[in-house]
């Protein structure tokens, strides 16, 4: 749509995001009716009009036409109050689905965009239900679990694009969010500014008349009738300094009060979910890990030496004892994985649990129910062949510090998150 707009209006400089926002605003605000929108669409895209002749209609690339139609119609679909979606809208959704799956089919796992958590609204569920039967053809042709995962991720990406969810521009890498809440940062900034002002006022009271100090003092007394050269300026400075100190004390108490309330809330919630973990945190002080991090090369070398080097186990005499004791154990019956087993495992899983390297949340496995039969068949094949694809043996490892020595790579505890399907 942006390329087509640039051809129509080369003198206007508009970004892709700005153009999409304007289209979305026009459709949501109901400025034009359906008939007016159709007329504008025919004027903007002459080739889409059946009555237009080849002589007075400029040819339009099919891909550009799809982009323009999608940008005009999809926001209306995503914001509709009913679950009914007409055939024209379904065709647009199908084209977006095919484009998304084609885009993610050959994309490495680490380069996949990060899927956001979408609201559990009626219109979003309607879009998921509309795409669900479209996946049958693609899933039936899927050869293994990796291809099935790629199809489901492409479908999830298509849903996010249809409903207008925000996606990162490229890759999965995002800026690491700070553990300090925004309200605490704001209060700490106020305290830092107040302390800096106290220092300037104290310096001026001691006789420092440098221009920078004078400018700060004038700003501190701006809006008042206080003159910096009046006889009682020392008393006014002392009162101003005391007032700032009281504010700093009040802000500090507010931080402590909010922090204590947050700590109690987290402890109560942890007591309901995992009492053992709560008691461990009470017995052992929490490690903040705020020190300098380890060198990346040293970290990779240390953990690669533990995980990548082959290990040769020696067969001791105890293994013969265990083997003789296990000879009388009745073998377990063969396991048969059914679609009902997959549906039950997915139903009990949290919607937005960390998905691992594949980036696919449990929510999408619940919404695209047509994948349960395919997943059951492919999991059964993997179980019978006693082999799993690399998708299930590759994960994202997070290093959690054990103590205050955060510069040593060996002082970390590795925690690895793996794909959602692994829980099945």
């Amino acid at each position: 749509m942006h390329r087509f707009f640039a051809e129509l209006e080369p003198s206007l400089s508009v970004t892709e995001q700005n153009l999409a926002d304007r289209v979305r605003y026009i459709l949501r605000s109901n400025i034009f009716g359906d008939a007016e929108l159709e007329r504008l669409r025919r004027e903007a895209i002459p080739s889409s009009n059946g009555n237009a002749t080849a002589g007075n209609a400029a040819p339009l690339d099919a891909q550009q036409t799809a982009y323009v139609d999608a940008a005009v119609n999809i926001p209306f679909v995503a914001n509709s109050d009913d679950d009914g979606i007409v055939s024209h809208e379904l065709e647009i959704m199908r084209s977006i689905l095919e484009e998304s799956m084609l885009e993610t089919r050959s994309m490495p796992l680490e380069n996949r965009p990060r899927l956001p958590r979408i609201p559990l609204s009626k219109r979003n569920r309607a879009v998921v239900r509309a795409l669900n039967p479209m996946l049958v053809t693609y899933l039936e042709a899927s050869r293994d679990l990796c291809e099935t995962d790629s199809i489901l991720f492409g479908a999830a990406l298509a849903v996010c694009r249809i409903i207008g969810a925000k996606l990162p521009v490229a890759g999965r890498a995002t800026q690491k969010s700070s553990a300090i809440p925004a309200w605490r940062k704001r209060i700490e900034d106020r305290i830092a500014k107040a302390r800096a002002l106290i220092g300037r006022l104290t310096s001026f009271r001691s006789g420092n008349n440098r221009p920078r100090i004078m400018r700060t003092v004038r700003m501190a007394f701006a809006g008042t009738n206080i003159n910096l050269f009046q006889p009682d300026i020392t008393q006014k400075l002392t009162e101003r300094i005391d007032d700032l100190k009281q504010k700093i004390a009040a802000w500090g108490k507010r931080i402590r009060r909010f922090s204590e309330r947050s700590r109690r809330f987290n402890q109560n919630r942890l007591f309901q979910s995992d009492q053992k973990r709560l008691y461990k945190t009470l017995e052992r002080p929490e490690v903040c890990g705020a020190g300098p991090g380890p060198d990346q090369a040293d970290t990779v070398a240390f953990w690669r030496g533990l995980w990548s080097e082959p290990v040769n186990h020696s067969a001791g005499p105890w293994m013969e004892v265990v083997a003789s004791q296990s000879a009388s154990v009745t073998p377990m019956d063969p396991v048969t994985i059914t679609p009902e087993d997959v549906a039950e495992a997915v139903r009990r899983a949290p919607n937005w649990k960390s998905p691992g390297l594949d980036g696919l949340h449990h929510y999408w496995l619940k919404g695209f129910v047509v994948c349960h039969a395919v997943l059951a068949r492919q999991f059964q094949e993997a179980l019978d062949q006693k082999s799993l694809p690399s998708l299930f043996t590759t994960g994202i490892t997070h290093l959690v510090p054990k103590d205050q020595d955060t510069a040593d790579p060996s002082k970390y505890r590795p925690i690895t998150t793996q794909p959602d399907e692994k829980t099945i």
Side-chain angles (χ1 to χ4, degrees), residues 243-346:
D243 180 64
L244 291 173
K245 289 182 178 179
Q246 292 177 11
K247 287 185 178 181
I248 291 176
W251 289 332
K253 289 181 180 179
R254 184 182 300 179
I255 291 178
R256 289 191 295 271
R257 185 171 67 252
F258 286 177
S259 300
E260 181 64 21
R261 188 262 179 194
S262 178
R263 186 180 64 85
R264 289 197 302 267
F265 175 80
N266 293 331
Q267 287 181 351
N268 291 336
R269 186 171 57 179
L270 186 60
F271 180 81
Q272 296 176 357
S273 60
D274 192 349
Q275 298 182 12
K276 181 179 179 181
R277 183 180 173 187
L278 172 64
Y279 294 138
K280 283 185 177 181
T281 58
L282 295 177
E283 295 173 359
R284 183 176 55 190
E286 184 179 357
V287 179
C288 62
D295 182 72
Q296 183 177 1
D298 296 340
T299 304
V300 172
F302 175 79
W303 290 104
R304 180 172 292 170
L306 294 179
W307 292 342
S308 301
E309 295 297 331
V311 179
N312 297 323
H313 299 283
S314 59
W318 62 272
M319 296 187 66
E320 299 179 358
V321 177
V322 173
S324 61
Q325 294 176 351
S326 302
S328 59
V329 177
T330 304
M332 186 178 65
D333 295 334
V335 177
T336 302
I337 302 177
T338 63
E340 290 74 18
D341 296 333
V342 176
E344 179 62 21
V346 171

Side-chain angles (χ1 to χ4, degrees), residues 93-141:
M93 296 168 67
R94 185 184 297 276
S95 64
I96 295 179
L97 174 64
E98 294 176 353
E99 181 183 355
S100 300
M101 288 193 298
L102 182 63
E103 177 183 344
T104 59
R105 185 176 298 274
S106 60
M107 181 184 298
L109 295 179
E110 59 273 10
N111 292 342
R112 287 182 177 180
R114 185 174 182 178
L115 297 177
R117 300 183 180 185
I118 65 174
L120 303 178
S121 61
K122 182 179 179 181
R123 61 186 181 87
N124 292 349
R125 290 196 297 268
V127 174
V128 174
R129 284 197 297 268
L131 292 185
N132 186 53
M134 301 180 187
L135 300 178
V136 175
T137 305
Y138 305 99
L139 291 173
E140 289 178 350

Side-chain angles (χ1 to χ4, degrees), residues 338-357:
T338 63
E340 290 74 18
D341 296 333
V342 176
E344 179 62 21
V346 171
R347 185 187 64 81
R348 291 183 283 104
N351 281 344
W352 304 110
K353 186 178 179 181
S354 180
L357 192 61

